[in-house]
Amino acid sequence: MENWENYRLVLALHRAGTIRGAANALNINHATVSRRLAQMNSQSHLPLFEKVTGGYQATELGLTLVAAGEKIEMITVISDRRSRAISANLSGTIRVSMGEPIAQYLLQDELMSFAKNHPKIELSIETSIGLVDLDRSEADIVIRATASPPDHLVGRRLFPFYLCNYCSREYLANTPYEERQWLKYSKSSTAKDWIKHSSHPDAPIALHSDDLIFLLKAAKAGQGMIRTACYMADPVSDLVRLPLAETHEAQDLWILTHPDLRRTKRIQHLMSYLATALEDKRALIQGVI
């Protein structure tokens, strides 16, 4: 194939596994994906994908094109990233990826202030828990709490954030000890350990959620006890730490970028700004009250 758009379609269908998923990834109509796939099958005289339960699977020929497409994609990504790194001015777009709690509870005002003071820089803030792929230019800067960031990325390790156990004042005052329950973050792999060593080791887990902000609001509404980041809960006047609860160190905060962007002025400037903003809130992040 000579058309890069056809390679993009092959990659999208391979990754999504369905016509509709590929269409969503390419931001086109699913009928267009079906039509273009039929055209490519006709031109190659062999099918690139075969129907399987639940979607499509690449044939041997299709996998060959997927591999070629991935090489072309990576060349395109690298070229684009390096061209963006050339700018010596404080101008251009910066895509920043961070967890939603960090964006909302720690850096919202600071990000707005940066945008106001740097009108030639366009900030694009994307919130997610997973570490996005900087090699594929899914972001320019990431802020993450992690024990082991990819070795080849560059940036700064700041300091760990801390966790503690909380509930609402009303819940603590009015809910009998034996009726209290936990609201658990579903992506935590250590719940049994910290619950076992908490002040309520036998309290049941009433609800699981992968949304930390939802859990915080549920606890604030008096619906149970939570274990969460101190920087999220301590400023909330309706929440209190459980009796005898101690803060516990979690993972380190990191600010990272790709090596190709490390000397780009606008990237350097924003990374330094964000590091200072978080350092200024170190006591809050580490639960010092």
Side-chain angles (χ1 to χ4, degrees):
M1 290 188 300
E2 297 181 359
N3 189 338
W4 165 233
E5 290 303 314
N6 287 342
Y7 280 107
R8 290 186 66 227
L9 188 147
V10 168
L11 288 175
L13 184 53
H14 176 65
R15 290 165 179 169
T18 65
I19 294 291
R20 189 169 297 277
N24 290 338
L26 297 171
N27 197 28
I28 59 178
N29 188 282
H30 71 278
T32 302
V33 174
S34 296
R35 175 176 53 79
R36 286 175 54 190
L37 179 61
Q39 291 174 344
M40 286 187 290
N41 285 336
S42 176
Q43 292 168 359
S44 64
H45 305 293
L46 288 172
L48 305 182
F49 289 84
E50 59 185 359
K51 282 191 175 183
V52 296
T53 302
Y56 284 78
Q57 179 176 292
T59 63
E60 184 176 352
L61 175 59
L63 288 174
T64 300
L65 296 179
V66 167
E70 288 175 337
K71 292 179 181 179
I72 297 171
E73 180 185 55
M74 187 53 63
I75 292 171
T76 302
V77 168
I78 292 172
S79 176
D80 175 68
R81 182 173 60 238
R82 289 179 177 173
S83 66
R84 288 187 292 109
I86 293 173
S87 174
N89 300 317
L90 288 177
S91 61
T93 300
I94 307 178
R95 292 170 296 172
V96 187
S97 174
M98 64 186 74
E100 187 173 1
I102 293 177
Q104 285 200 30
Y105 292 87
L106 289 177
L107 293 176
Q108 182 169 326
D109 290 343
E110 287 74 12
L111 288 167
M112 293 304 301
S113 177
F114 183 93
K116 180 179 180 180
N117 292 324
H118 299 83
K120 293 184 179 180
I121 294 179
E122 180 181 341
L123 286 183
S124 176
I125 309 300
E126 301 170 358
T127 57
S128 67
I129 296 174
L131 187 61
V132 297
D133 193 341
L134 295 186
D135 291 329
R136 293 187 178 275
S137 291
E138 293 177 354
D140 300 318
I141 297 172
V142 295
I143 301 177
R144 285 292 185 277
T146 178
S148 55
D151 291 338
H152 70 289
L153 299 183
V154 296
R156 296 177 59 178
R157 180 175 67 180
L158 299 178
F159 44 81
F161 74 98
Y162 278 66
L163 302 166
C164 199
N165 302 332
Y166 298 86
C167 69
S168 73
R169 295 179 186 276
E170 183 178 354
Y171 189 85
L172 184 63
N174 298 329
T175 304
Y177 179 91
E178 63 276 7
E179 295 180 13
R180 294 172 187 170
Q181 57 189 10
W182 290 104
L183 309 174
K184 178 183 173 293
Y185 179 53
S186 59
K187 295 189 176 181
S188 170
S189 60
T190 59
K192 291 184 179 179
D193 291 336
W194 65 257
I195 289 178
K196 178 181 178 181
H197 294 97
S198 74
S199 58
H200 293 71
D202 299 318
I205 298 173
L207 180 146
H208 297 75
S209 175
D210 65 351
D211 188 331
L212 291 166
I213 296 174
F214 168 79
L215 292 173
L216 186 78
K217 291 182 177 179
K220 181 181 177 181
Q223 295 168 352
M225 304 176 292
I226 60 169
R227 179 180 177 85
T228 195
C230 297
Y231 71 79
M232 295 177 65
D234 283 336
V236 180
S237 59
D238 293 341
L239 292 178
V240 294
R241 296 181 181 181
L242 294 178
L244 305 179
E246 297 180 353
T247 59
H248 291 273
E249 180 178 315
Q251 296 173 318
D252 286 326
L253 292 173
W254 292 77
I255 300 180
L256 301 165
T257 189
H258 192 277
D260 287 347
L261 299 175
R262 67 188 303 174
R263 293 183 176 84
T264 305
K265 189 173 181 180
R266 67 180 183 279
I267 301 296
Q268 289 180 328
H269 188 61
L270 179 56
M271 290 181 71
S272 177
Y273 174 86
L274 293 174
T276 299
L278 291 171
E279 184 65 51
D280 289 344
K281 296 184 178 182
R282 183 167 185 161
L284 171 64
I285 294 169
Q286 298 194 322
V288 179
I289 58 175

